[in-house]
Amino acid sequence: MRRIAGFLVALPLALLAACSSGTSSSPGASPSASASVSAVPSPVASASPMPTVAGDFGSKATITIPPGQPSGQFVVSALSEGEGATVAKGDWVTVNYTAKDWTTGKEVGSSYDANQKPQLFQALSGQLVPAFDQGVIGRKVGSRVLVVAPSAAAFGSQGNSTLGVQAGDTVVFVLDIMQAVPQDATITGAITEPQPNMPQVKDNGKAAPTITIPAGQAPPTDLQKSVLVKGDGKQVQAGQTIVVQYTGVLWSNGQQFDSSWSHGGAQALQVGTGSLIKGWDQGLVGQTVGSRVELVVPPALGYEDKPQTAVPPNSTLVFVIDILEAV
């Protein structure tokens, strides 16, 4: 059954933390970390020898590997300091990266290459190799960071055949920290009244907004949408992963049945691919990052006649959604 939430960002297989055992993961699940926290070395600020990096923040880096073998130390070093917010644990972080295998000298890949895109993940969540977590935590948005990752901080004893990284290889990453969205982030700004005959919305700051259903009014039979705050960010495209805060209530009685504020804060969901209810796919594609959008979703674009937890069959649903990021 298609869900509203619960689908974490689809992470590139190449950058996922490797499984700690030989067992395979279930389809769609993120593999577990490659090693326990105690097995990952603590990062240091410098070592010798060190790679050199050419290029500016926001463009593909050129990484030059020095002669000799890597020190074996896990190095995290700022190449340039940004002026944005400091990345904290649990933030949804957007990172562009360039990577090179020190051991073989081969290019591993870059999000700046054609048909690639930035990486979105939660800081210190263990979703990606430790090099990414340790490369961003405590750094400011806008920073470019050099990470020299021995195998324990990269792809472990398994390596990564997709990238051509062998077991035990040291990998060099250059990370550009593009954005960080805290789990309690919400949209702020002047709020426009909803379209006529749509439920009213009261902003509650860092808490879920209050949605009031119009008394005595029959629910609409088609999708209704109203932009309460118009963001000035990029336009959401089908296939992207969006970071959102949202709350949903039933038109029939105004009862809340789901809210990101109730289960951990901002969520990352893929939009426009059929993994969400049709009302979300149709109502959010084309909106802009930084917007707060109200959607009234009829049963045909929601859960139809299939009951969900706290949602009776043939329910009309009302959502208020903050679009915080799109990658």
Side-chain angles (χ1 to χ4, degrees):
M1 184 60 196
R2 294 172 184 170
R3 297 178 292 173
I4 296 166
F7 288 87
L8 290 179
V9 54
L11 303 172
L13 179 62
L15 295 174
L16 283 168
C19 290
S20 57
S21 67
T23 59
S24 61
S25 299
S26 59
S30 297
S32 59
S34 59
S36 65
V37 173
S38 61
V40 178
S42 297
V44 298
S46 64
S48 183
M50 282 285 285
T52 58
V53 178
D56 296 326
F57 176 91
S59 62
K60 184 176 180 178
T62 299
I63 303 171
T64 302
I65 302 297
Q69 295 299 308
S71 67
Q73 290 183 297
F74 182 15
V75 180
V76 178
S77 177
L79 299 174
S80 62
E81 294 284 359
E83 298 181 351
T86 300
V87 177
K89 181 179 179 180
D91 287 358
W92 287 101
V93 189
T94 304
V95 171
N96 273 307
Y97 66 91
T98 305
K100 194 169 189 177
D101 189 322
W102 181 317
T103 307
T104 64
K106 295 180 180 178
E107 300 284 345
V108 172
S110 175
S111 60
Y112 292 110
D113 291 341
N115 301 317
Q116 300 299 312
K117 62 181 182 179
Q119 179 61 61
L120 175 66
F121 66 104
Q122 272 190 299
L124 292 184
S125 66
Q127 291 173 326
L128 300 188
V129 294
F132 274 70
D133 276 338
Q134 296 299 327
V136 302
I137 196 70
R139 303 285 176 180
K140 291 185 176 181
V141 172
S143 296
R144 168 164 278 196
V145 182
L146 172 66
V147 182
V148 180
S151 60
F155 299 107
S157 60
Q158 297 182 14
N160 188 295
S161 58
T162 302
L163 296 177
V165 177
Q166 301 300 313
D169 284 3
T170 292
V171 180
V172 180
F173 297 94
V174 175
L175 308 180
D176 288 347
I177 306 174
M178 311 303 294
Q179 183 63 278
V181 177
Q183 288 178 290
D184 66 349
T186 58
I187 297 301
T188 59
I191 297 178
T192 301
E193 288 293 316
Q195 298 292 335
N197 301 320
M198 289 188 68
Q200 294 299 301
V201 178
K202 177 181 178 293
D203 180 69
N204 291 319
K206 291 292 186 179
T210 301
I211 302 173
T212 303
I213 306 299
Q217 183 174 311
T221 57
D222 56 358
L223 179 67
Q224 302 290 309
K225 53 187 174 181
S226 187
V227 178
L228 306 179
V229 177
K230 176 66 174 177
D232 58 5
K234 54 198 167 188
Q235 193 173 67
V236 174
Q237 300 178 19
Q240 285 189 314
T241 296
I242 56 175
V243 179
V244 294
Q245 292 277 23
Y246 69 92
T247 191
V249 304
L250 300 173
W251 180 287
S252 60
N253 58 14
Q255 181 178 344
Q256 183 183 109
F257 64 87
D258 193 14
S259 177
S260 59
W261 279 273
S262 300
H263 48 77
Q267 305 286 305
L269 310 168
Q270 194 173 65
V271 68
T273 62
S275 63
L276 305 177
I277 60 173
K278 294 176 182 178
W280 273 51
D281 282 347
Q282 294 180 21
L284 296 183
V285 171
Q287 303 292 348
T288 53
V289 173
S291 294
R292 171 170 284 188
V293 181
E294 181 181 12
L295 299 178
V296 180
V297 180
L301 300 179
Y303 294 122
E304 303 176 289
D305 60 353
K306 302 173 181 65
Q308 307 293 308
T309 302
V311 179
N314 298 308
S315 290
T316 296
L317 313 173
V318 184
F319 297 96
V320 174
I321 305 159
D322 289 358
I323 307 174
L324 304 168
E325 175 65 304
V327 176

